[in-house]
Amino acid sequence: MFVPMKQVLDMAYAGRYGVPAVPAHNEILVRASIEAAVEANSPLIFLTSNRGNPEFSHGIVRYFAEQAGIPVALCLDHSPTFEDCVMGIRTGCSAIMADRSVLPYEQNVEQVLILAKMAHAAGVSIEAELGHVGQGSNYAVDGVSQLTDPEEAKRFIAETGVDGLAVAIGTAHGTYSGVPKLDFGRLQEINAACGLPLVLHGGSGSGDENIHKACTMGVAKVNIVTDVLAANVQAAVNGDFTGNAGHRFYPSLLEATKKCVLRLFEITGSTGKYKGGAGSLIASDKASTEEK
Ligand SMILES: [Zn+2]
């Protein structure tokens, strides 16, 4: 079932577990991740960055989500402008991530407040970011700079009405150039001050134990993109798809994605957490996977 992201965040926050937010770049990723979620009885969140043909790719998420008996949300990731946020709402996302984290606090509040009113009026959830999560390739600087201040976070939530807050506690986007160090003391203070679902960006390569621990301390959504894509790359590089084995190429990517996402549910603690009834399985497309 396709649901507003707030529904998934609130369930996870109350249950003290996290939900992986994974890439929705193509049909294989979407289909495999939903199959994994159904098998694990876990809620699921997709991230989209598609600005080229969003109606098409967001339609794929909705198509498969509506066949599944588990809650699935779709979040427009790092939306930088007013127009882009409207595009996300208009093309069927169930959440927007309004990233104004590079702006001064007052401007961040001013813009997110307007977007929150607009999103909520359309039945869409909203996530914002306070502090700034940088790039793993520049981790020595980005990993430790602009961490989220707990009291400022509390004020920000009260002033904007967001449904989830991305916090900077030492993770970074992409592949790390150094060893990530998470500031759990800060996370604890932020959670105590805010009482709202928190979001961790840059989950890939952050360490299974770190992620698991963060998910018991108020983090309800963990963005993990690079690791899922890496699992696909590995399957493509390591497989032999010569000749008729070419028919196995896409099924092998599907299997690799599914295996990776099932593991992510274990790490964030969401396996078996959806109690709303058995998830229905998507009818598998046997015809396209058979060798001819
Ligand atoms: Zn991010």
Side-chain angles (χ1 to χ4, degrees):
M1 63 198 88
F2 191 68
V3 301
M5 189 170 78
K6 178 179 167 53
Q7 203 172 308
V8 175
L9 293 181
D10 288 351
M11 269 194 301
Y13 188 71
R16 292 170 70 91
Y17 62 91
V19 176
V22 297
H25 296 5
N26 60 36
E27 185 208 330
I28 300 276
L29 292 170
V30 171
R31 184 191 182 101
S33 302
I34 292 183
E35 283 187 9
V38 166
E39 197 171 306
N41 248 326
S42 168
L44 178 66
I45 300 171
F46 282 109
L47 299 172
T48 173
S49 301
N50 191 335
R51 270 84 182 179
N53 49 2
E55 285 92 349
F56 178 72
S57 69
H58 301 169
I60 289 175
V61 172
R62 293 185 79 124
Y63 174 80
F64 285 114
E66 280 160 8
Q67 294 181 55
I70 43 97
V72 178
L74 173 66
C75 181
L76 180 68
D77 206 22
H78 292 286
S79 184
T81 64
F82 182 83
E83 289 74 13
D84 191 68
C85 286
V86 172
M87 179 281 292
I89 294 170
R90 198 172 48 75
T91 57
C93 292
S94 70
I96 52 172
M97 190 270 180
D99 185 359
R100 303 296 182 277
S101 61
V102 293
L103 296 178
Y105 177 86
E106 296 301 339
Q107 286 177 41
N108 191 345
V109 168
E110 192 184 337
Q111 294 192 21
V112 170
L113 175 63
I114 294 167
L115 291 164
K117 281 187 178 173
M118 184 178 64
H120 288 155
V124 169
S125 311
I126 180 166
E127 170 191 334
E129 180 171 325
L130 193 65
H132 183 66
V133 179
Q135 296 299 323
S137 53
N138 192 35
Y139 187 70
V141 178
D142 286 353
V144 292
S145 65
Q146 303 179 68
L147 297 180
T148 307
D149 177 74
E151 283 308 311
E152 200 173 65
K154 181 183 177 181
R155 207 178 122 204
F156 184 86
I157 289 164
E159 289 177 350
T160 58
V162 291
D163 303 303
L165 184 68
V167 293
I169 57 162
T171 57
H173 292 107
T175 307
Y176 290 96
S177 64
V179 180
K181 237 183 146 178
L182 272 62
D183 188 342
F184 286 107
R186 184 179 294 269
L187 177 59
Q188 193 170 24
E189 284 178 39
I190 296 169
N191 189 32
C194 296
L196 186 93
L198 304 174
V199 179
L200 204 58
H201 282 238
S204 296
S206 291
D208 296 358
E209 280 178 27
N210 281 338
I211 290 176
H212 187 79
K213 187 172 171 183
C215 291
T216 64
M217 296 172 66
V219 169
K221 168 177 177 258
V222 186
N223 289 15
I224 304 174
V225 174
T226 306
D227 283 354
V228 180
L229 299 181
N232 277 251
V233 172
Q234 281 297 315
V237 169
N238 295 335
D240 178 5
F241 304 109
T242 49
N244 279 341
H247 288 284
R248 287 295 311 153
F249 182 66
Y250 290 113
S252 78
L253 297 188
L254 197 135
E255 277 311 307
T257 305
K258 199 171 162 183
K259 197 173 154 195
C260 176
V261 174
L262 280 169
R263 197 176 146 267
L264 298 181
F265 295 143
E266 290 292 327
I267 296 167
T268 63
S270 66
T271 302
K273 288 297 195 300
Y274 180 62
K275 306 289 187 198
S280 64
L281 281 167
I282 298 172
S284 63
D285 184 5
K286 291 259 170 29
S288 70
T289 63
E290 279 170 4
E291 286 185 20
K292 292 192 179 74

